[in-house]
Amino acid sequence: MLKRLYQPLAYQTQTMPDSYWAASAGPLPRCETLPAEGTFKTGVAIIGGGYTGLSTALELAENGVEVAVFDAGRSGWGASGRNGGFCCIGGSPLSYAELGLRFGEDETRHYARLQRQSIDLVASRLDDWGIDADRHSDGEVVLAHKPNRIAELHEEDAQHAHFSDIDCQFLTREQLHERGLVAADTYGGLHVKTGFGLHPLKYLAGLHQQCLAKGVRIFEQAMIEDLKDTGTGYDLRSGNTRISAQKVVIATNGYSAENLPDWIGGRLMPVFSGILVTRPLSDDELAEQGWTSDLMAYDSRILLHYFRKLPDNRFMFGGRGGITATQSAFDAGKRDLLHHFNRMFPAWRDVDITHHWNGLACLSQSFRPYIGRVPGHREVWTGLGWHGNGVALGSLAGQMLGKQILGTGKPSDIGTILGTPPDRFPLARFRRLGRSLAYRYYGLRDRFA
């Protein structure tokens, strides 16, 4: 039996989330269903049909490997179809300076290059495959929610200049207003000029279609419940169906089970993030609030908010939620998110909210993503821990995993920051309680410090 961190409502896989993305993506590509019983064979079995799983499958299939993808729901059911559509840097909440102290400046610069490369990969896919994914925004802007956070923005600017080739521009409060970036409690901003917004499910659908064209078989409602090493390969079980594979990739990120395989247990801390989307706003309504820009944005809070104007003038607003998967907790999270939206954008207080949904963002114990072989296993691989920024890095991770499995990639390509496995959380069985206490503390710091 799979061991889960949250209540069953977090893992309801029968339908897609009631999100704006699912409502507006159009028909999704076809999937197969596993036979009710018997044995299915494949070269590589990939568990999870999101950006990482499908990117791994595509890299392998393009090089002649037989690949099958198994999703407990369907492609895009998990975080790849629930996120805010920020194709950007940010796979780790640790600063470049903090990473540099542990891993050295050369490795930190390599990690910065990979983040930029991941954005370029998604951009090239959209162009090469002709995917209309509602792309917009010249990078993103981080907004200081208190005057004393302005110094942090200048420090972030300096770190980008030292470790990366990303251009940044500091914006005063007056310049934010001139550029149509008016939100309450905003005292300055840093425009980080890389990345773009997109429709995450339209991109996912295009990636899915490319996999099908290369011969990848993608199965929906295929919950993998067990994984065993046979000595010559691996046996996986989904219901009464046995799947035989030579290699396995775990690409379930925040929706991973604690015991598939056991190594994952205690190393991840998935946390809920909620998103709401308004009806389309008129030009007059946008002007009344003063937010007319299409830049992706987030604020300097620890429990941050992220938001952007969509191409059809809807406004998307997201933020960290709770750590309980009950309907009452989700309802409370929606009320809290709406409270912050109304406070930051008071002119839109009475605007209809057409969609609201939740999803799991995946933190790791190390506050770093991991890409590589699952320790203690011969041919089980994984990429996970995107810290809420997996559109770009999860895509590149899948491509890199494919190269590692094929033997065409070197460990140095991944580097030590992404290639060092996370440890277990101390007192891992109590980490939800610990995160709850941390959220209370973070909320006080965001408000008063």
Side-chain angles (χ1 to χ4, degrees):
M1 179 181 297
L2 295 179
K3 296 178 182 178
R4 300 290 197 180
L5 192 61
Y6 289 107
Q7 296 93 333
L9 188 59
Y11 311 102
Q12 187 282 118
T13 61
Q14 297 304 308
T15 59
M16 294 290 285
D18 185 22
S19 70
Y20 173 68
W21 310 133
S24 59
L28 297 174
R30 64 175 175 84
C31 291
E32 299 182 61
T33 55
L34 279 171
E37 57 184 12
T39 300
F40 177 88
K41 293 185 178 181
T42 187
V44 178
I46 297 177
I47 305 173
Y51 302 130
T52 302
L54 293 183
S55 295
T56 308
L58 183 62
E59 181 67 24
L60 293 172
E62 287 179 336
N63 286 277
V65 178
E66 181 186 33
V67 187
V69 176
F70 305 92
D71 200 286
R74 64 157 300 146
S75 293
W77 171 88
S80 294
R82 299 171 187 257
N83 66 83
F86 283 50
C87 183
C88 61
I89 62 174
S92 170
L94 300 176
S95 69
Y96 287 143
E98 290 172 309
L99 292 170
L101 286 174
R102 177 173 178 186
F103 295 99
E105 293 201 352
D106 288 346
E107 284 293 334
T108 303
R109 289 193 176 93
H110 178 66
Y111 170 66
R113 287 193 297 271
L114 290 180
Q115 291 206 86
R116 184 67 173 268
Q117 183 181 334
S118 70
I119 295 170
D120 293 343
L121 172 65
V122 177
S124 66
R125 285 176 168 179
L126 298 181
D127 292 339
D128 295 346
W129 300 342
I131 300 174
D132 181 5
D134 304 335
R135 176 177 173 176
H136 70 97
S137 184
D138 174 25
E140 58 185 343
V141 60
V142 53
L143 303 172
H145 78 285
K146 288 192 171 186
N148 63 5
R149 301 300 170 92
I150 290 176
E152 296 177 7
L153 300 187
H154 287 298
E155 174 60 26
E156 182 176 344
D157 187 7
Q159 290 189 35
H160 277 297
H162 184 73
F163 289 100
S164 79
D165 61 353
I166 295 172
D167 292 330
C168 298
Q169 180 185 7
F170 178 78
L171 302 173
T172 65
R173 191 174 190 178
E174 292 72 24
Q175 288 172 318
L176 289 174
H177 286 223
E178 292 169 1
R179 298 192 182 198
L181 296 163
V182 179
D185 300 329
T186 300
Y187 299 92
L190 184 68
H191 183 189
V192 181
K193 299 180 181 181
T194 189
F196 51 88
L198 51 64
H199 190 303
L201 203 51
K202 288 183 178 179
Y203 165 48
L204 189 283
L207 176 56
H208 181 127
Q209 193 63 54
Q210 290 295 313
C211 286
L212 293 178
K214 297 299 182 181
V216 177
R217 300 187 68 179
I218 304 174
F219 294 87
E220 65 180 337
Q221 300 300 318
M223 176 82 73
I224 302 300
E225 299 163 320
D226 194 21
L227 167 64
K228 292 181 179 178
D229 187 340
T230 65
T232 57
Y234 293 88
D235 276 352
L236 300 83
R237 181 175 57 81
S238 178
N240 292 324
T241 304
R242 173 177 166 264
I243 300 150
S244 176
Q246 295 301 305
K247 305 173 190 285
V248 177
V249 176
I250 308 292
T252 42
N253 202 36
Y255 291 88
S256 299
E258 292 278 284
N259 59 336
L260 195 72
D262 286 338
W263 174 84
I264 287 180
R267 286 178 165 80
L268 305 179
M269 182 64 242
V271 295
F272 285 100
S273 188
I275 294 177
L276 57 82
V277 173
T278 73
R279 63 162 171 80
L281 299 165
S282 68
D283 290 343
D284 287 344
E285 287 173 318
L286 293 170
E288 182 182 3
Q289 172 58 46
W291 192 284
T292 57
S293 173
D294 71 350
L295 274 180
M296 303 182 294
Y298 65 98
D299 61 29
S300 59
R301 292 173 174 84
I302 303 173
L303 300 178
L304 60 81
H305 304 112
Y306 52 96
F307 36 92
R308 61 187 177 103
K309 181 174 72 70
L310 303 181
D312 65 353
N313 281 358
R314 294 176 185 268
F315 198 79
M316 189 210 82
F317 185 84
R320 293 291 180 257
I323 55 168
T324 301
T326 64
Q327 192 57 54
S328 61
F330 289 163
D331 292 342
K334 180 181 179 180
R335 290 192 298 270
D336 184 64
L337 191 63
L338 189 59
H339 166 75
H340 289 290
F341 171 73
N342 290 336
R343 180 181 52 75
M344 294 187 70
F345 302 97
W348 300 334
R349 178 177 295 273
D350 297 323
V351 169
D352 290 338
I353 305 300
T354 61
H355 295 85
H356 170 263
W357 67 96
N358 293 289
L360 286 171
C362 185
L363 315 183
S364 74
Q365 182 276 339
S366 64
F367 290 107
R368 293 175 289 103
Y370 175 59
I371 304 170
R373 196 188 306 269
V374 173
H377 293 265
R378 296 178 298 106
E379 291 291 352
V380 181
W381 302 76
T382 193
L384 41 71
W386 314 126
H387 297 86
N389 289 288
V391 176
L393 194 54
S395 298
L396 180 65
Q399 185 184 72
M400 297 180 84
L401 276 174
K403 293 181 185 298
Q404 296 292 315
I405 293 168
L406 290 164
T408 58
K410 305 182 297 294
S412 59
D413 295 337
I414 295 174
T416 57
I417 291 176
L418 296 176
T420 302
D423 294 327
R424 283 175 55 86
F425 280 89
L427 302 175
R429 63 182 298 184
F430 300 110
R431 65 192 185 278
R432 277 183 58 194
L433 173 61
R435 180 58 49 171
S436 178
L437 296 174
Y439 271 15
R440 293 171 185 254
Y441 170 67
Y442 295 155
L444 291 173
R445 279 196 58 185
D446 286 337
R447 186 175 179 183
F448 297 111

